[in-house]
Amino acid sequence: ETGVTQSPTHLIKTRGQQVTLRCSSQSGHNTVSWYQQALGQGPQFIFQYYREEENGRGNFPPRFSGLQFPNYSSELNVNALELDDSALYLCASSSGLAGNTGELFFGEGSRLTVL
Amino acid sequence: AQSVTQPDIHITVSEGASLELRCNYSYGATPYLFWYVQSPGQGLQLLLKYFSGDTLVQGIKGFEAEFKRSQSSFNLRKPSVHWSDAAEYFCAVLPLGAAGNKLTFGGGTRVLVKP
């Protein structure tokens, strides 16, 4: 069983640039969630995709957007990067909406540094 | 305001000693409750969860947690800590009626294990 994989693992961008982060969900999982984890803090929910549609969003501006593909992989796009966007971005997959079980399978994350 | 609090930012414990990590939540109705662990270079892993029923929950890696409604707490315990338990631990909640995977995490407690 293949786990959740994310790419790239590390990247550096400058303010105003755009970034795309990628996630391959665990085999058999059709729901993907994205979280932002700033240094020294707990993860914060960005949004969730189920069957290629956004299904729930946290308190993040529209410049954070995403996609889910037919194979259930996903992208997180962030436009007009700001310094505060520097963080570890975590992708998590689950089967269906997991019946609200909260059992998410996380990738190791993509660490974004904005200079 | 709804919140999840982990009062202890860091805890140092000797190998073989017991460990207790605190978690308090503030929600109108008891949410679903979780503990996740984040080891260096690894993604978040679910240790245990509480939905209803028995207030003492057993998890993986020898961890258990006790739900106390009167104290709005869900503390994590381990009777005898191993060096491999050094990691960051996050308490998380899923409010009733929230989007399937919109977990709210506490700020985390970093555990250091002394030989």
Side-chain angles (χ1 to χ4, degrees):
Chain A
E1 188 174 77
T2 306
V4 177
T5 58
Q6 293 186 240
S7 63
T9 55
H10 295 82
L11 70 166
I12 299 173
K13 294 284 188 177
T14 56
R15 275 185 302 174
Q17 285 189 311
Q18 178 266 344
V19 68
T20 297
L21 308 178
R22 295 179 175 81
C23 171
S24 293
S25 59
Q26 183 163 312
S27 176
H29 288 180
N30 57 10
T31 303
V32 173
S33 307
W34 286 92
Y35 286 78
Q36 180 196 65
Q37 185 177 16
L39 197 61
Q41 297 183 24
Q44 283 194 290
F45 178 80
I46 303 175
F47 45 55
Q48 169 183 283
Y49 278 82
Y50 174 64
R51 293 185 175 177
E52 302 178 51
E53 294 200 0
E54 189 178 296
N55 179 275
R57 189 178 182 93
N59 188 27
F60 281 81
R63 59 189 185 84
F64 285 78
S65 63
L67 284 173
Q68 186 180 32
F69 301 99
N71 66 355
Y72 306 129
S73 65
S74 177
E75 285 183 356
L76 165 65
N77 299 289
V78 187
N79 295 321
L81 284 167
E82 301 176 0
L83 296 180
D84 284 349
D85 296 333
S86 295
L88 182 67
Y89 288 85
L90 297 167
C91 171
S93 74
S94 61
S95 178
L97 291 175
N100 283 1
T101 67
E103 182 155 14
L104 306 181
F105 294 82
F106 284 85
E108 294 182 20
S110 294
R111 184 164 296 283
L112 170 66
T113 301
V114 182
L115 302 177
Chain B
Q2 298 180 332
S3 65
V4 183
T5 304
Q6 294 180 245
D8 304 304
I9 297 174
H10 293 98
I11 284 183
T12 299
V13 60
S14 297
E15 192 168 13
S18 63
L19 174 68
E20 181 167 11
L21 305 181
R22 297 183 290 165
C23 173
N24 295 96
Y25 62 89
S26 175
Y27 282 81
T30 300
Y32 299 139
L33 298 160
F34 310 87
W35 276 98
Y36 279 83
V37 60
Q38 187 174 36
S39 300
Q42 297 186 27
L44 288 156
Q45 182 182 21
L46 179 67
L47 286 174
L48 46 77
K49 59 189 177 187
Y50 174 78
F51 287 174
S52 64
D54 193 346
T55 57
L56 188 62
V57 181
Q58 301 298 320
I60 62 170
K61 304 186 178 187
F63 284 93
E64 65 179 26
E66 185 173 13
F67 167 64
K68 292 187 177 180
R69 185 187 304 275
S70 61
Q71 297 178 19
S72 296
S73 69
F74 188 56
N75 293 349
L76 181 71
R77 299 194 294 248
K78 186 168 184 177
S80 177
V81 169
H82 187 262
W83 64 266
S84 61
D85 294 322
E88 187 143 26
Y89 292 80
F90 293 94
C91 179
V93 306
L94 183 63
L96 301 182
N101 295 322
K102 187 179 179 181
L103 294 178
T104 298
F105 286 83
T109 298
R110 183 169 296 278
V111 173
L112 175 65
V113 180
K114 294 190 302 183

